[in-house]
């Protein structure tokens, strides 16, 4: 277990607290590329670790076999301070998953350590002011749609 003073969860929380969630002037092409990069990373992890994931948007607690207590506490702190700015439920869930993955790193989970930067593209997308949603099985980022039907081919 990592010292809480230098924990990834705390670092992740600090990073999330610095995001300007109301910002909307972003490079839509870059945001779409970041979303694709996240999907590619999850596809690579899924293939290399032989994890059957139905979607690139998965529950980190299940994959990591952790209780998520530290991430839950951090998420509550985040929601009490900056959470009102986050209008998009998918962005809020991404922040939560990011903190859970950070907790996996803190807990010494090998897969989380090996893929420590898994959520980096999505967090970067959010930092740039981007957002995303889903429509008819596609991930929609700005004016781009990324089909999720065959998402594992990106790996």
């Amino acid at each position: 277990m990592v010292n809480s003073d230098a924990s990834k969860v705390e670092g992740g929380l600090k990073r999330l607290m610095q995001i300007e969630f109301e910002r909307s002037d972003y490079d839509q092409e870059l945001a779409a590329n970041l979303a694709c990069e996240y999907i590619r990373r999850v596809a690579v992890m899924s293939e290399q670790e032989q994890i059957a994931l139905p979607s690139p948007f998965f529950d980190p607690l299940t994959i990591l076999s952790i209780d998520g207590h530290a991430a839950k506490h951090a998420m509550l702190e985040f929601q009490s301070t900056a959470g009102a700015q986050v209008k998009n439920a998918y962005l809020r869930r991404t922040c939560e998953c990011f903190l859970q993955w950070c907790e996996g790193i803190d807990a010494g989970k090998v897969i989380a350590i090996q893929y420590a930067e898994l959520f980096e593209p999505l967090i970067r997308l959010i930092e740039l002011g981007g957002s995303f949603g889903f429509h008819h099985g596609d991930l929609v980022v700005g004016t781009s749609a990324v089909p999720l039907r065959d998402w594992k081919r990106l790996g």
Side-chain angles (χ1 to χ4, degrees):
M1 188 68 76
V2 177
N3 181 330
S4 64
D5 291 340
S7 80
K8 285 289 198 177
V9 173
E10 286 299 316
L13 176 60
K14 286 179 186 173
R15 184 174 179 187
L16 294 177
M17 298 284 246
Q18 294 174 352
I19 296 174
E20 297 175 37
F21 285 94
E22 294 172 356
R23 182 177 168 197
S24 62
D25 59 329
Y26 64 97
D27 181 334
Q28 292 188 12
E29 184 177 346
L30 175 59
N33 289 338
L34 288 167
C36 286
E37 175 59 16
Y38 167 75
I39 294 168
R40 186 195 70 77
R41 290 179 186 203
V42 175
V44 166
M45 179 188 73
S46 175
E47 182 180 324
Q48 289 181 349
E49 303 300 322
Q50 299 180 353
I51 301 169
L53 296 174
S55 163
F57 298 92
F58 63 94
D59 180 12
L61 298 180
T62 302
I63 300 296
L64 300 172
S65 298
I66 59 173
D67 65 11
H69 181 72
K72 183 177 181 179
H73 181 69
M75 193 64 189
L76 287 172
E77 185 177 338
F78 170 72
Q79 288 180 309
S80 71
T81 55
Q85 295 176 15
V86 185
K87 307 291 187 226
N88 181 317
Y90 301 116
L91 297 187
R92 188 175 302 110
R93 178 65 182 141
T94 298
C95 293
E96 183 177 26
C97 289
F98 169 63
L99 292 171
Q100 292 169 346
W101 201 256
C102 288
E103 183 173 344
I105 295 169
D106 288 342
K109 296 295 182 171
V110 174
I111 192 167
I113 294 167
Q114 281 182 297
Y115 300 94
E117 301 294 316
L118 187 68
F119 284 91
E120 182 62 26
L122 284 186
I123 298 303
R124 187 72 190 117
L125 180 154
I126 295 168
E127 287 173 333
L128 292 172
S131 67
F132 61 88
F134 298 91
H135 184 70
H136 295 295
D138 293 344
L139 174 67
V140 179
V141 184
T143 57
S144 299
V146 180
L148 294 177
R149 181 179 39 249
D150 298 322
W151 67 273
K152 289 185 181 180
R153 71 175 164 69
L154 293 173

